[in-house]
Amino acid sequence: MKIRLGILALGTTLLAACGGVSVDDIEDQAPQGTVAGASWTMKSAVVTDDGDRFSVALFPIEVPACDSLAAADTHILFSAPKTAGEYPLKLDITDLNGSQTITFVTGPGQNVIASEGILNVESVSAEKVTIGLLAEAEENTINGRFTTTICKTTN
């Protein structure tokens, strides 16, 4: 498993360095990689419809469906468009609305922002969404796809 994750991290690094990251590089597996340099695999996803976008939290532990208060020492956060499509990661401080990033929560109060990689909203229905992602930042990598129920906000 360590060798596979090392190869995944190396491959992600090379793809990002070459600018050649595409949705074809997203593995058909539960999102996995490293967070804070340690092996990490998604076991639960909470996707909430926030109106214009989805709010997404990925956890390495089992959490109840639609638990917006779920917590884990490490997790991954991002927002995603509600329209199927490919969204390259980028951070543009002059156009925050045009930015797309993924946040690795590496410990309590510690975050690393990934702005290299790609997010792929593969399909969206009234009840479910399928998202693929590939990202890297410092000692953090993630690659895979998941399908989960869309939770509605209760304002």
Side-chain angles (χ1 to χ4, degrees), residues 77-79 88-91 99-103 113-115 119:
L77 303 171
F78 59 94
S79 68
L89 299 186
K90 66 178 182 169
L91 178 59
S99 293
Q100 178 67 61
T101 61
I102 293 175
T103 301
I113 307 296
S115 59
L119 181 69

Side-chain angles (χ1 to χ4, degrees), residues 90-132:
K90 66 178 182 169
L91 178 59
D92 184 349
I93 59 172
T94 62
D95 179 21
L96 292 177
N97 288 332
S99 293
Q100 178 67 61
T101 61
I102 293 175
T103 301
F104 292 91
V105 178
T106 58
Q110 300 174 351
N111 299 327
V112 176
I113 307 296
S115 59
E116 294 182 8
I118 194 160
L119 181 69
N120 186 29
V121 179
E122 295 179 15
S123 65
V124 180
S125 71
E127 297 170 356
K128 293 199 177 284
V129 63
T130 299
I131 298 174

Side-chain angles (χ1 to χ4, degrees), residues 28-75:
D28 191 16
Q29 63 188 13
Q32 56 191 271
T34 57
V35 175
S39 179
W40 194 96
T41 301
M42 183 202 88
K43 291 192 178 169
S44 299
V46 176
V47 175
T48 304
D49 182 343
D50 285 339
D52 294 336
R53 295 178 67 85
F54 293 124
S55 177
V56 181
L58 306 180
F59 298 98
I61 59 172
E62 295 292 332
V63 300
C66 296
D67 184 354
S68 62
L69 300 176
D73 286 344
T74 62
H75 51 284

